[in-house]
């Protein structure tokens, strides 16, 4: 089963695309948490339903680097 097809909490294709793009562009776990909150996707559900995205973001730093 495709991860995108299994997503019931993201109502439209636009929301789903925005969710995926946001996760792929996230540079910190703080950003990931913000995206999960904005799309109302619990962290446990994210890991179970989107394993490839969860793996992609697992190595991100907790916070963004402070401005230079």
């Amino acid at each position: 089963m495709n991860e995108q097809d299994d997503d019931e909490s993201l109502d439209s294709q636009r929301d789903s695309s925005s969710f995926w793009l946001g996760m792929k562009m996230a540079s910190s776990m703080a950003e990931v948490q913000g995206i999960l909150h904005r799309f109302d996707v619990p962290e446990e559900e994210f890991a179970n339903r989107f394993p490839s995205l969860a793996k992609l973001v697992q190595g991100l730093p907790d916070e963004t680097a402070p401005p230079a």
Side-chain angles (χ1 to χ4, degrees), residues 28-60:
S28 72
M29 288 306 290
E31 285 183 57
V32 168
Q33 292 298 323
I35 294 165
L36 292 175
H37 180 72
R38 184 172 64 227
F39 288 96
D40 195 28
V41 176
E43 193 170 337
E44 303 81 32
E45 182 180 332
F46 172 63
N48 291 331
R49 295 177 79 178
F50 304 99
S52 62
L53 281 178
K55 185 176 181 178
L56 179 72
V57 302
Q58 79 183 43
L60 292 176

Side-chain angles (χ1 to χ4, degrees), residues 4-5 7 10-20 39:
Q4 286 180 324
D5 295 338
D7 184 24
L10 300 175
D11 296 329
S12 70
Q13 182 66 31
R14 178 183 284 177
D15 285 347
S16 181
S17 294
S18 180
F19 178 80
W20 276 77
F39 288 96

